[in-house]
Amino acid sequence: MQSIIGRGRWIPKGAPARILKRYPPPVWPGRSWQSVVGAVSPDESLRASFAKLNAKHLVSQREARKQFFDTVEANPLTPEQVDACICMDDAVMVVAAAGSGKTSTMVAKTGYALHEKLATPDQILLLAFNRSTADELTERISVQLRGVPDVEQVRSNTFHAFGIEVIGKATGKKPSLAPWVDPSKGGADLKEIINIVESLGAADPTFKREWDMFRTVYGRDIGKWGQRQQPEVYEKERVGFRTANGEIVKSGEERVICDWLFYNGVTYEYERPFEHETASESHRQYAPDFYYPDAGLYHEHFALNAKGEAPKEFKDYLVGVEWKRRIHAEKGTAFFETTSHGIMTGEAFKLLERALVAKGITPRFDAERIPQGVEPVPQQDIARVLRIFQQHVKNNGLTHAQLLGSLKKQSVDGFAARLRMFLGIYERVSAEWERRLREGNYIDFEDMLIQAAGHTESGAYKSPYTIILADEFQDSSRARMRLLKSLAANPEHQTHLCVVGDDWQGINRFAGSDISVMTEFEKDFENSTRLTLNTTFRCPQAICDVSSEFIQANPAQIRKTVATTNPLTKAPMLAFGFDRQEGMHVHIEKRLERMHKYAAQGDLEPAKGQHITIMLLGRYRHDEPPDVGQWKGRFGDRLRIDFRTVHASKGLEAEYVFVLNVIQGNRGFPSQIQDDPALQLAMPEPDPHPFAEERRLFYVAMTRARKQVIFYTKVGSPSQFLVELAKGGHLTITPADGEPLEPCPKCGAGVLRARFGKFGTFYGCSRFPGCDFRRDSDQGGKVPSTQQAKSQKIRGAVKAGDQCPICRRGVLHQIKGRNGIFLGCTRFRDGCRATANHPS
């Protein structure tokens, strides 16, 4: 038995099963184990006994190796890190907070295992997600564990490099990676996808039409039926979704209809006033959604499901539907209607085409028509989604039948027509990708992991490793998980597996990662243990608290409470709003000037080194301010200023973090083009929480700061994430030139904006029409009105679109008043009362 559990060592959770398999427990005829021993089963008896021994072992090892734990890193290890080093259960998952010393724990655990002679250096394997992390582990082990005999034999490698080695040893032939998946050739895989699409399109007109229809009409998802839609465009008093034709419509469904009409060459007018007078005491003038002048046909699109029901929050909606139908019947006008259900299934467009043809209009699809508004979804973006989808399909070993089953489930309340079209395109592209791999005798990274796992499972590859540590486990895929399981299940010797990661920072779904490998770890590994590193060395406690609450709004994330060693308490989170992006850059430059001045005076001291570190973060590369180079030159003697995307910032930190362009919109933060719902078709456990990946990315941005994080947004379209923090009382979005913005009390995702209605000024949600909250000005709040300040007449000739000559910050636009149309400043709500006669 000592050979199974070891003497004076940690006893793994799987030891009882292994012992009982070799040494069957005694049997007493007619008597149960519990009646004789007092425990439910032999397994429970051993587990209870071994748990007591492990508790004593933990205490003794903390003391015996105290000097090592106190000196292996620059700072002594925390008790949590020490416990993670000592625990040697069969499979251990260490769930670590941002800045809690994940890499330090891996290095220390390696050193502890060597000092305790739990393994020889050549029996320890460290696996990392990317090359830079693997190199860092190698360097830190060589430095921190210098003096340990043969420590250079400890292996630190990426999953992919290790997979190539496994295949080579198992088959005697090292595989060749397809040249287009080489990471050193940035984006080569996407170029290959686009090349495949173009080749298929040239050979098959049907495929080309499907591809063109997808990118022009179906490229942007419309969400699930009844789900509140977040507008993408905020212009003056018009909020919504811009179409290919250039107008701003109220919903994503209406945008799809407009784009279908545009690319089919159908002339239409959006919300043109009805030809008959309908305005009354209870109704304003009716403006149907669409009018086709060449057919004399009106078209209403109703938010109704298959049962004819409207979303619950649409009060009295069905009354309005019946009123519109009745008006057309009474007036004898040609009328056609579509529903949300019809758009979701695709049936609406078949019916619409028939209705138009019956009126003498034949739609003719032309994907090359030049749009006046929003462009088609770029090929690069669709290729990226296809590639991500392909990685997940292969990593998860999904078959065509399984994908169809997932499609059926997702289509219940999703955009079924789009999902169907996407899956059809994917399967054609994937088939050609695999054909090219076979033709060149190549494999891709997914094949590599799958084949390596297969060789390990079959015994063709015999692993010499008894301790396996995997870093950044939240970035793992199902294929990586399969490889780890096959290595841990080595029949020739007992293997200890320890994975370290933070599911809160799982932001690499674009590379095939799947955070469910963490949330389901204990289901996948028997006799597993979950430990946590809850102490961070980075962020102030206020940032820890806010970021933890924010990320755990998604119930799929693993629960934990984060504490810090950072004592700072002064204003750790700020947010500023601006009318225009240029205002953000001016504000940042002035803040840098002040910080540079204070640093020169000694009033602002760096935490480490000679420079105060400042990290500018953007959701996209194009968020980088044009003056960064100039700022580095002006302030570089005192400040170290760097710009990074949030993805590239993971694992890094700075004293001060400025998060730029935290706005709502298609390319905002959260990005509305990255979390494509089509990806859920390939997920074994779909994450239905809205913007789940983007929420994790925002958490990463928040937790880079050692002292302070500052968010920069636009007053007219702040990110729903910022509004959520403001509604929770965690920060105030302060306009650089106005009053703080108030979160919408109803949806919590928009902010209240002054609007002008039939009965005067009121507060309305910036997410309208997705949220219909309104509050009259006399119900509280500071809404400017024409009675609160006298108007300022503009002298001289002006026209709509001119800069306001009074405040020099707003723009003049048309306003309909009691006595006709006049010009007014767009900054009316900020106090500018400039008015002018309309040129006409």
Side-chain angles (χ1 to χ4, degrees), residues 312-621:
K312 292 181 180 179
E313 63 269 23
F314 284 26
K315 296 180 180 179
D316 300 324
Y317 186 79
L318 292 179
V319 174
V321 170
E322 291 303 320
W323 181 87
K324 292 172 182 177
R325 290 170 176 167
R326 187 170 62 252
I327 283 291
H328 285 287
E330 290 175 355
K331 302 299 183 183
T333 47
F335 172 65
F336 173 80
E337 66 180 65
T338 53
T339 65
S340 296
H341 176 70
I343 295 297
M344 294 289 193
T345 61
E347 289 300 311
F349 292 116
K350 297 177 184 178
L351 298 176
L352 177 56
E353 184 169 9
R354 290 176 197 163
L356 291 170
V357 170
K359 288 289 185 177
I361 299 175
T362 303
R364 290 184 173 84
F365 182 64
D366 180 9
E368 302 307 316
R369 190 177 182 193
I370 300 175
Q372 306 302 310
V374 68
E375 298 280 342
V377 176
Q379 287 197 123
Q380 186 86 355
D381 288 353
I382 302 176
R384 182 177 295 107
V385 176
L386 286 169
R387 177 67 179 128
I388 296 170
F389 189 77
Q390 178 193 47
Q391 289 173 303
H392 286 286
V393 169
K394 297 186 75 169
N395 282 331
N396 295 325
L398 299 179
T399 64
H400 172 71
Q402 288 173 313
L403 288 174
L404 289 180
S406 183
L407 173 64
K408 186 176 181 180
K409 291 179 183 177
Q410 298 293 327
S411 296
V412 172
D413 55 1
F415 197 177
R418 179 180 189 270
L419 294 174
R420 250 191 341 264
M421 191 177 294
F422 175 86
L423 189 55
I425 290 171
Y426 162 73
E427 293 195 326
R428 291 289 304 277
V429 171
S430 177
E432 176 60 16
W433 175 285
E434 297 299 323
R435 189 197 67 78
R436 293 186 181 191
L437 288 178
R438 292 192 299 272
E439 183 179 65
N441 198 25
Y442 299 132
I443 63 173
D444 57 24
F445 284 124
E446 290 69 50
D447 293 329
M448 181 190 304
L449 292 169
I450 293 166
Q451 290 181 24
H455 291 311
T456 307
E457 290 166 346
S458 69
Y461 171 77
K462 300 188 182 301
S463 169
Y465 303 108
T466 60
I467 294 180
I468 300 170
L469 309 177
D471 196 13
E472 300 291 358
F473 188 60
Q474 76 278 349
D475 292 329
S476 292
S477 62
R478 286 283 162 181
R480 289 186 180 90
M481 172 71 96
R482 181 183 166 191
L483 178 58
L484 288 175
K485 288 184 72 172
S486 64
L487 291 169
N490 194 325
E492 297 189 0
H493 51 69
Q494 185 180 326
T495 302
H496 169 70
L497 171 67
C498 179
V499 302
V500 185
D502 181 8
D503 66 299
W504 294 4
Q505 297 185 76
I507 60 172
N508 284 313
R509 187 161 66 183
F510 67 90
S513 301
D514 182 353
I515 68 160
S516 69
V517 298
M518 287 196 71
T519 57
E520 297 183 10
F521 183 83
E522 286 136 310
K523 293 181 183 178
D524 289 325
F525 287 92
E526 286 186 310
N527 303 308
S528 60
T529 296
R530 180 196 294 185
L531 301 176
T532 57
L533 300 182
N534 290 331
T535 303
T536 180
F537 302 97
R538 182 186 300 157
C539 303
Q541 189 62 52
I543 292 181
C544 293
D545 294 342
V546 173
S547 61
S548 296
E549 179 182 324
F550 175 81
I551 193 67
Q552 290 179 110
N554 181 354
Q557 305 290 167
I558 297 174
R559 309 284 101 181
K560 58 178 176 279
T561 302
V562 182
T564 185
T565 61
N566 188 331
L568 294 178
T569 59
K570 184 178 180 180
M573 299 182 75
L574 300 173
F576 296 102
F578 301 84
D579 284 333
R580 293 179 298 174
Q581 190 177 44
E582 293 75 13
M584 300 183 197
H585 299 161
V586 172
H587 189 276
I588 292 171
E589 184 168 351
K590 289 181 179 179
R591 183 166 287 269
L592 293 174
E593 286 178 351
R594 290 197 300 271
M595 295 176 74
H596 183 266
K597 176 183 176 181
Y598 294 150
Q601 295 173 349
D603 297 330
L604 195 64
E605 297 182 359
K608 299 178 181 178
Q610 301 300 313
H611 293 77
I612 293 166
T613 55
I614 300 167
M615 187 185 298
L616 308 179
L617 293 182
R619 175 62 184 80
Y620 304 96
R621 289 189 179 90

Side-chain angles (χ1 to χ4, degrees), residues 801-815:
D802 286 354
Q803 181 186 53
C804 175
I806 303 297
C807 69
R808 298 189 179 280
R809 303 189 70 177
V811 177
L812 299 180
H813 68 134
Q814 295 181 10
I815 298 175

Side-chain angles (χ1 to χ4, degrees), residues 709-771:
V709 58
I710 303 175
F711 301 101
Y712 288 86
T713 186
K714 288 186 178 179
V715 292
S717 54
S719 163
Q720 67 187 75
F721 288 165
L722 274 187
V723 177
E724 182 179 329
L725 294 180
K727 186 178 181 182
H730 302 308
L731 55 72
T732 299
I733 306 174
T734 307
D737 54 359
E739 299 173 354
L741 303 182
E742 180 184 350
C744 173
K746 182 176 181 180
C747 71
V751 293
L752 299 187
R753 301 174 66 185
R755 297 190 182 279
F756 309 93
K758 182 178 180 181
F759 301 105
T761 307
F762 65 94
Y763 267 148
C765 181
S766 61
R767 297 293 185 266
F768 180 83
C771 175

